[in-house]
Amino acid sequence: MALQSSGQISLNDIHVEAGGSSGSQAAINDSDIRDLAGKSSGSQMAFSEWYGVSAANTTATRIGGSSTTTNQFPNNVSTLSSGNKLIVVVVLLRVQSGSSISNGPTYVTVGGQSATLRAIINRNVSSLSYGHINSIWTLETTLSGSQLTTGSTTTGTGNNSCHIYEVTGHTQATPRSVAVTSNYTGSASTTDTIALAQTSGGSAIFGVTASGFGGGSLSSSPSTTVVNNTFSNLNHAGAHKDNTTAGTTAYTWTNNQSGYFNIVAASFK
């Protein structure tokens, strides 16, 4: 069961949650204790960082997603399970260079409830006349049944997609960490790597766009569960990985053609 979310918390409480015996010797820098909160060895720590933490694994399930070749938001109706859960929405937008590339979606809602923006990256290449905005949004909710996910977009040429995940077994709505990367300011390539800090037994969720010719797919190493949306001149993908390991993991993404990557990621526990 999860640790308490407020009040006094002891090292013994944390050690027991990590699988140790009550009253046995432990130190806050022990690897099993640090792994619960995704802390690195010797880093600055406060006991409050273990509020609500659980040794139980989270599970991320893709429950919906859609794409559009217009400049509209890729609306999707998905079915939410009963009970408390965390909804994670990955939004991948293509925008014309010269349009408002710095402005991503101003809102995302699920069943009329407002989601919170957790990470965003905006990049464009003037020589290609377009760019991408990738973002991750979360909503902790007890909504169930069929619910509409919608939001705003920027002006542009379209080719937009979204991927919707339901995370259960989580102990907090805020991501443990987020990461963004892009090679839009450098040279086109067939691979790009993003480093994401994770906790043991958590879930990682990704949103990846890559320019280049369509007809192929995006994949990662270490492997993730990927769903591709392939357009005529670019690839989009949403992906997730459960049972993550503690520490920072570098995920290398591969595209079928040389192009420009835009990647956003978040880890949960």
Side-chain angles (χ1 to χ4, degrees), residues 119-130:
I120 188 168
I121 184 168
N122 318 314
R123 289 291 187 272
N124 70 327
V125 181
S126 58
S127 62
L128 298 179
S129 300
Y130 67 84

Side-chain angles (χ1 to χ4, degrees), residues 50-70:
W50 278 263
Y51 278 149
V53 167
S54 172
N57 289 1
T58 60
T59 299
T61 304
R62 185 181 184 275
I63 59 171
S66 59
S67 62
T68 176
T69 57
T70 73

Side-chain angles (χ1 to χ4, degrees), residues 66-103:
S66 59
S67 62
T68 176
T69 57
T70 73
N71 63 354
Q72 302 302 308
F73 190 91
N75 294 338
N76 180 259
V77 175
S78 50
T79 301
L80 279 59
S81 66
S82 60
N84 187 59
K85 83 286 291 181
L86 182 65
I87 303 301
V88 181
V89 183
V90 176
V91 183
L92 308 172
L93 305 179
R94 180 179 188 249
V95 294
Q96 248 179 340
S97 184
S99 63
S100 189
I101 187 70
S102 62
N103 297 324

Side-chain angles (χ1 to χ4, degrees), residues 22 47 52 54 89 99 103 166 168 208 231:
S22 180
F47 277 22
S54 172
V89 183
S99 63
N103 297 324
E166 188 175 278
T168 55
V208 186
F231 301 95

Side-chain angles (χ1 to χ4, degrees), residues 8-32:
Q8 185 176 3
I9 187 170
S10 68
L11 179 59
N12 187 63
D13 294 332
I14 300 170
H15 190 210
V16 170
E17 181 65 25
S21 300
S22 180
S24 60
Q25 185 173 357
I28 198 169
N29 198 47
D30 290 348
S31 60
D32 58 343

Side-chain angles (χ1 to χ4, degrees), residues 184-195:
Y184 268 60
T185 56
S187 300
S189 66
T190 56
T191 64
D192 200 9
T193 299
I194 187 167

Side-chain angles (χ1 to χ4, degrees), residues 195-198 245-250:
L196 181 65
Q198 306 171 150
T245 56
T248 299
T249 298

